[in-house]
Amino acid sequence: MSVALAAVYQHPLLSDRDLQVIFAAHQLKSFKKGDFLLQKGQTSKAYFCVEEGLIRSYVYDYNGNDITTGFIGKNEIAIDVVSLFTGVPSEEYLQALTDCQCYMIDLETLQELYHSIKGLNEWGRAWMSGSLFALKQRTIAMITESASARYRKLEIQHPQILQQAPLKFIASYLGVTDSSLSRIRKELCKST
Amino acid sequence: MSVALAAVYQHPLLSDRDLQVIFAAHQLKSFKKGDFLLQKGQTSKAYFCVEEGLIRSYVYDYNGNDITTGFIGKNEIAIDVVSLFTGVPSEEYLQALTDCQCYMIDLETLQELYHSIKGLNEWGRAWMSGSLFALKQRTIAMITESASARYRKLEIQHPQILQQAPLKFIASYLGVTDSSLSRIRKELCKST
DNA sequence: TTGATTTCTTGTCCTAGGGCAAGCGCTAAC
DNA sequence: GTTAGCGCTTGCCCTAGGACAAGAAATCAA
């Protein structure tokens, strides 16, 4: 049984039986480095629980800048919530930064589970709440913290991202240029 | 029947009958300017649909800065999603910037409706998706746009906020100081 | 191996916006 | 009245980080 799925679907209202049904509804998918799990313009029909590897989500802003909106690693969910749940074409890309193993579940199957497993709706709400919270924290950090502080936090909270993602993506995620990030790292090395 | 509630609960899966039941589950509450709908440390037990007035949500960051995380106006929902749906104490404050009329629904009643009205779960997911989307847009704007561009956007999209909220709150929402915002406004006046 | 591409660093110069402090209306309280 | 306290503006100086461009260093292709 998958470690990733067990980690993702942790919730007091989900029994072991529920979990077995949920697990059985997922299919294992492999992606090569560079593969897209979702591209702009497509309407998302599924989401992916990451068992192994690292995914990057990004958008192009109206200036054509490639902006990394997030990294999705082990035991996390790669999803475009808006596209999946409102049926509109996606604004963002989900791309594998490394070779990946993911457990996929499609919307139709998910909807059925929502009806048959009571706790799953609660789990979904809790998961979304968590996402909203994380994003709000990020927005506040963008306002109140220096680039260097944001980098240090990422270093502590998600060290695997620093190892697996190229610096330019980390830079756009942190809201700085890659040159600036390079300088920030130099400073941090010096001061240690 | 309330205009605000009709606007808030717009969804293809909600029938007129559903809406009547939903409406009946809300209670009208009045708040005076300065009243708190929710304070840090309290565990949220309800949310509020704004019929009239303007609410500000804010947090203190770890430096003690008061950061405006959002404005909630007419036909919008004032809620701390995280606290309400995961039962943890709130990190943020919800405060009335003006006298307000709101329709309140408590968590318990909401849970019952989730069970009795099928479409409501879908509506909830759609609403959360929308919130996530809006917040993501805001984060991207914080990265890629100048303070002045962010101000102009707010001016166009939510003119009532500019009229009803003091400048310092708008400034912290936009991620600048009130002095800077004052200068930005001067520039914009000149160039018009 | 060798060229090509991407990744990362570094330099120079420049600007948006912060920090701080003063000033100038307002309205509210006494 | 006048004193206090917001809300907003302005001036002066300073710094974090952007723009652009030129190298290293690493990776990949053939």
Side-chain angles (χ1 to χ4, degrees):
Chain A
M1 190 154 297
S2 151
V3 175
L5 290 180
V8 163
Y9 290 102
Q10 215 154 28
H11 192 274
L13 291 183
L14 293 176
S15 68
D16 285 354
R17 269 201 63 74
D18 291 337
L19 289 179
Q20 281 174 13
V21 176
I22 293 170
F23 292 1
H26 288 74
Q27 302 169 40
L28 187 58
K29 288 259 175 187
S30 294
F31 296 96
K32 289 266 163 229
K33 176 175 177 174
D35 284 355
F36 286 96
L37 286 70
L38 182 68
Q39 292 200 57
K40 178 170 177 174
Q42 297 175 345
T43 298
S44 171
K45 297 293 182 205
Y47 66 75
F48 306 87
C49 302
V50 180
E51 170 90 15
E52 199 54 63
L54 187 65
I55 316 276
R56 178 175 82 105
S57 63
Y58 67 98
V59 298
Y60 290 100
D61 73 6
Y62 71 103
N63 291 319
N65 304 312
D66 166 333
I67 307 289
T68 300
T69 51
F71 295 100
I72 303 101
K74 224 171 185 166
N75 305 348
E76 297 182 317
I77 300 182
I79 182 176
D80 179 342
V81 171
V82 179
S83 177
L84 187 64
F85 291 130
T86 67
V88 300
S90 176
E91 291 290 325
E92 71 185 4
Y93 296 83
L94 290 174
Q95 187 179 27
L97 280 184
T98 65
D99 292 356
C100 289
Q101 301 281 347
C102 300
Y103 285 95
M104 187 191 83
I105 182 165
D106 62 75
L107 182 59
E108 209 176 324
T109 312
L110 184 68
Q111 303 274 26
E112 285 165 20
L113 291 185
Y114 273 138
H115 292 130
S116 58
I117 300 178
K118 275 190 49 183
L120 196 60
N121 272 305
E122 306 295 328
W123 168 84
R125 260 191 290 283
W127 184 84
M128 280 229 207
S129 304
S131 300
L132 264 173
F133 177 73
L135 191 52
K136 205 174 269 190
Q137 292 302 105
R138 176 158 139 73
T139 307
I140 293 170
M142 295 298 305
I143 294 178
T144 62
E145 289 173 30
S146 68
S148 144
R150 298 197 300 271
Y151 177 80
R152 283 191 306 258
K153 204 192 260 177
L154 187 68
E155 202 173 23
I156 293 163
Q157 292 176 353
H158 303 281
Q160 81 287 3
I161 292 175
L162 298 195
Q163 283 143 28
Q164 297 185 295
L167 185 135
K168 65 177 170 182
F169 295 151
I170 298 171
S172 79
Y173 178 71
L174 293 176
V176 295
T177 59
D178 47 353
S179 327
S180 285
L181 184 51
S182 180
R183 280 185 257 265
I184 285 166
R185 303 216 295 180
K186 188 166 67 168
E187 275 312 304
L188 289 182
C189 284
K190 257 198 279 180
S191 66
T192 323
Chain B
M1 189 152 298
S2 151
V3 175
L5 290 179
V8 163
Y9 290 101
Q10 215 154 29
H11 192 275
L13 292 183
L14 294 176
S15 68
D16 284 354
R17 271 200 62 75
D18 292 337
L19 289 179
Q20 281 174 13
V21 176
I22 294 169
F23 291 0
H26 288 74
Q27 301 170 42
L28 187 58
K29 288 257 173 188
S30 294
F31 297 96
K32 289 266 163 230
K33 175 175 179 175
D35 284 355
F36 287 96
L37 286 71
L38 182 68
Q39 292 199 58
K40 178 170 178 172
Q42 297 176 344
T43 298
S44 171
K45 298 291 182 205
Y47 66 74
F48 306 86
C49 303
V50 180
E51 169 91 15
E52 198 57 62
L54 187 65
I55 317 277
R56 177 174 82 106
S57 62
Y58 67 99
V59 297
Y60 291 100
D61 73 6
Y62 71 104
N63 291 319
N65 303 312
D66 167 331
I67 306 289
T68 300
T69 52
F71 295 101
I72 303 100
K74 222 173 187 166
N75 303 349
E76 297 180 319
I77 300 183
I79 181 175
D80 179 342
V81 171
V82 178
S83 177
L84 186 64
F85 291 130
T86 68
V88 299
S90 176
E91 290 291 325
E92 70 184 6
Y93 297 83
L94 290 174
Q95 187 178 27
L97 280 184
T98 65
D99 291 356
C100 291
Q101 301 282 346
C102 300
Y103 285 94
M104 188 191 82
I105 182 167
D106 62 77
L107 182 59
E108 209 176 323
T109 311
L110 184 68
Q111 304 274 26
E112 285 165 19
L113 291 186
Y114 273 138
H115 293 130
S116 60
I117 300 178
K118 276 191 49 182
L120 196 59
N121 270 305
E122 307 294 328
W123 169 84
R125 261 192 288 283
W127 183 85
M128 280 229 207
S129 304
S131 300
L132 264 173
F133 178 74
L135 192 51
K136 203 173 269 188
Q137 293 301 107
R138 175 158 140 75
T139 307
I140 293 171
M142 295 299 304
I143 294 178
T144 62
E145 288 173 31
S146 68
S148 141
R150 299 198 299 274
Y151 177 81
R152 282 192 305 256
K153 206 192 259 178
L154 187 68
E155 202 172 24
I156 292 164
Q157 291 175 355
H158 302 281
Q160 83 286 5
I161 292 176
L162 298 195
Q163 283 144 26
Q164 298 185 300
L167 184 134
K168 64 177 171 181
F169 296 152
I170 298 171
S172 78
Y173 177 72
L174 293 176
V176 294
T177 59
D178 48 353
S179 329
S180 285
L181 184 52
S182 180
R183 280 184 260 266
I184 284 165
R185 302 215 297 182
K186 187 166 65 169
E187 276 311 304
L188 289 182
C189 283
K190 256 200 276 179
S191 65
T192 322

